[in-house]
Amino acid sequence: MMRALVIGDSGGIGAAVATALGVRGVAVIGLSRSRDGFDITDPVSVEATLAALEGPFDLIFVASGALVVTQEGPEKSLREVSGEEMAAQFAVNTIGPALVLRHAAKLLPRKERGVFAALSARVGSIGDNRAGGWYSYRASKAALNQVIHTGAIELARSHKQSICVALHPGTVETAFTANYPAHKKHSAEVAADRLLGVLEELTPAESGGFYDYAGVPVPW
């Protein structure tokens, strides 16, 4: 791997991924809202920024995401479901990565191995949902998984060596999870190393999948 593009490299996991790639000798271009004004929820911002980039990138890693946007915490019941919150979550967790994925065919190598990966979450798994709640976040991540799976099918037609996957990083100790102290967490650095290790082992035959930080497939 020679070049990587990390979307959301100022966040906990994104920053750790960018650092881990740099240690591996990979040239990293990072984009973030706080530093570069790159707004993944704004189609104009995404189009203008990504259209100006020169590929190819061996890896495009989308680390942007939000657990809540307009509320204090995830919905625990249907009574707490808000159209405003759900729309905001879909904008960040689903539509934003999809807008980035639009540019994958141009930015990934056409004939060599190229990887597109987006952070999803196990709670976005419909088959693994036993606890309920968290409607907006669950739904937006489930929708992201569908976008990734569908994009992988299309990419494979023109980019035979491409790999397009959704990743579950586990519960990572960042500001994102600061209000959930009961969960067992690992550091962003550990998550980044594990996720990059998973990506290094995947093959084009496994493109379109949803994998956790140990490389185990997660149910849809």
Side-chain angles (χ1 to χ4, degrees):
M1 190 185 302
M2 300 297 292
R3 299 181 74 216
L5 173 64
V6 180
I7 307 295
D9 72 317
S10 63
I13 299 177
V17 167
T19 298
L21 287 168
V23 170
R24 287 165 163 79
V26 179
V28 179
I29 290 180
L31 292 172
S32 78
R33 185 174 184 172
S34 60
R35 186 188 60 243
D36 309 301
F38 179 78
D39 185 354
I40 198 170
T41 69
D42 180 2
V44 175
S45 175
V46 175
E47 180 66 28
T49 303
L50 297 190
L53 291 179
E54 291 283 340
F57 292 95
D58 304 291
L59 170 65
I60 300 173
F61 194 103
V62 181
S64 301
L67 181 61
V68 291
V69 182
T70 69
Q71 299 183 165
E72 293 185 0
E75 311 96 332
K76 294 181 180 179
S77 71
L78 283 169
R79 292 189 302 275
E80 298 176 8
V81 170
S82 155
E84 182 185 15
E85 175 66 16
M86 186 167 283
Q89 291 233 5
F90 267 76
V92 177
N93 295 330
T94 310
I95 299 172
L99 293 174
V100 177
L101 184 55
R102 282 188 63 201
H103 294 264
K106 177 181 80 77
L107 294 176
L108 291 174
R110 190 172 184 85
K111 295 184 179 180
E112 289 79 36
R113 186 181 191 271
V115 179
F116 184 98
L119 288 184
S120 186
R122 187 178 294 276
V123 295
S125 165
I126 296 172
D128 193 57
N129 182 0
R130 300 177 182 86
W134 295 39
Y135 289 89
S136 296
Y137 188 66
R138 285 186 188 276
S140 66
K141 290 298 189 179
L144 170 64
N145 293 344
Q146 181 69 284
V147 169
I148 293 297
H149 185 73
T150 305
I153 294 171
E154 181 174 346
L155 273 174
R157 295 171 185 152
S158 57
H159 295 62
K160 305 297 184 184
Q161 299 302 312
S162 66
I163 298 168
C164 182
V165 293
L167 297 174
H168 167 59
T171 303
V172 182
E173 192 172 356
T174 65
F176 194 84
T177 62
N179 293 327
Y180 303 92
H183 288 283
K184 183 178 180 180
K185 303 176 184 179
H186 49 253
S187 70
E189 291 73 22
V190 168
D193 278 330
R194 289 177 176 176
L195 292 174
L196 291 176
V198 170
L199 294 179
E200 288 166 357
E201 296 297 324
L202 291 176
T203 69
E206 296 163 300
S207 185
F210 181 18
Y211 303 95
D212 70 10
Y213 57 87
V216 179
V218 180
W220 293 118

